[in-house]
Amino acid sequence: MRKIKPKKKDIEKKRKKVDELLKELFHYHGALHDEQKTLETVKKIAELESDDPMPAEKVASIYVDYNRTNEADKAVTYLEEHFPPTAYRLFLRGRVCDLKQDYGGCIKYSEMALENPNIDLLTRMMIHNILGHAYRYAGDAPNSLKHYEDRKS
């Protein structure tokens, strides 16, 4: 069956709605720290299935922050199915693995993220931090210490 291509007008309307919801999200999450409103807004953003990866990354990140494993997994899967991998998206997959206590998966995806040539400093630091955590829980103290020290550089 052939997919019906959405009309340009519908695409623009959807993008505008995502932008409005992102403003709400930054208000509830960033300024008010209101978990319930944040999660309600994140759900609305996820349901719109944006053609821009940034809103989906924000959705996944917030679900991870609130330990919403199933929702985070769905959000990261959406990213993987619709956008090319980046260091940050691999990091998000690693964080979902960490929530599932799959430290081998966390290490795998986080190490892949570090290999990305376009990685920014903040993402690199977050990846080293999660790797230190995952290696510690996997029982590999030397690698854990290495990554905790590497996050500073």
Side-chain angles (χ1 to χ4, degrees):
M1 189 177 259
R2 221 169 53 135
K3 272 185 149 180
I4 298 172
K5 198 172 181 180
K7 296 178 183 173
K8 189 173 182 173
K9 181 180 169 183
D10 294 335
I11 293 170
E12 290 304 318
K13 187 176 177 182
K14 184 185 205 180
R15 286 178 183 161
K16 185 176 180 179
K17 181 65 177 169
V18 169
D19 287 343
E20 290 169 5
L21 288 168
L22 284 171
K23 288 175 187 170
E24 275 184 42
L25 178 63
F26 293 128
H27 176 72
Y28 292 131
H29 184 64
L32 298 180
H33 306 287
D34 184 329
E35 182 174 344
Q36 181 180 345
K37 291 286 189 184
T38 295
L39 291 172
E40 289 171 8
T41 306
V42 164
K43 183 179 179 186
K44 291 176 188 175
I45 294 169
E47 289 170 350
L48 287 172
E49 296 183 335
S50 176
D51 61 347
D52 177 355
M54 188 280 291
E57 289 173 347
K58 192 68 181 163
V59 164
S61 178
I62 288 174
Y63 279 141
V64 169
D65 289 346
Y66 286 123
N67 295 316
R68 303 295 180 120
T69 307
N70 292 335
E71 293 93 336
D73 192 23
K74 287 177 189 171
V76 172
T77 299
Y78 176 80
L79 282 164
E80 291 166 343
E81 291 173 349
H82 293 88
F83 305 102
T86 64
Y88 186 68
R89 291 181 201 134
L90 291 166
F91 164 70
L92 287 171
R93 174 52 69 196
R95 288 188 71 198
V96 170
C97 290
D98 180 59
L99 284 177
K100 294 178 177 183
Q101 297 181 348
D102 173 9
Y103 302 113
C106 179
I107 291 166
K108 172 188 165 186
Y109 286 102
S110 299
E111 293 284 3
M112 287 170 55
L114 281 178
E115 294 172 9
N116 189 301
N118 299 319
I119 190 170
D120 62 86
L121 180 61
L122 180 59
T123 302
R124 180 179 301 282
M125 291 169 61
M126 292 187 304
I127 293 168
H128 281 298
N129 192 56
I130 195 77
L131 279 166
H133 168 82
Y135 276 117
R136 180 174 53 124
Y137 279 94
D140 187 343
N143 267 323
S144 177
L145 287 172
K146 173 192 176 293
H147 285 286
Y148 279 133
E149 290 173 356
D150 284 350
R151 72 182 175 180
K152 298 174 189 169
S153 56

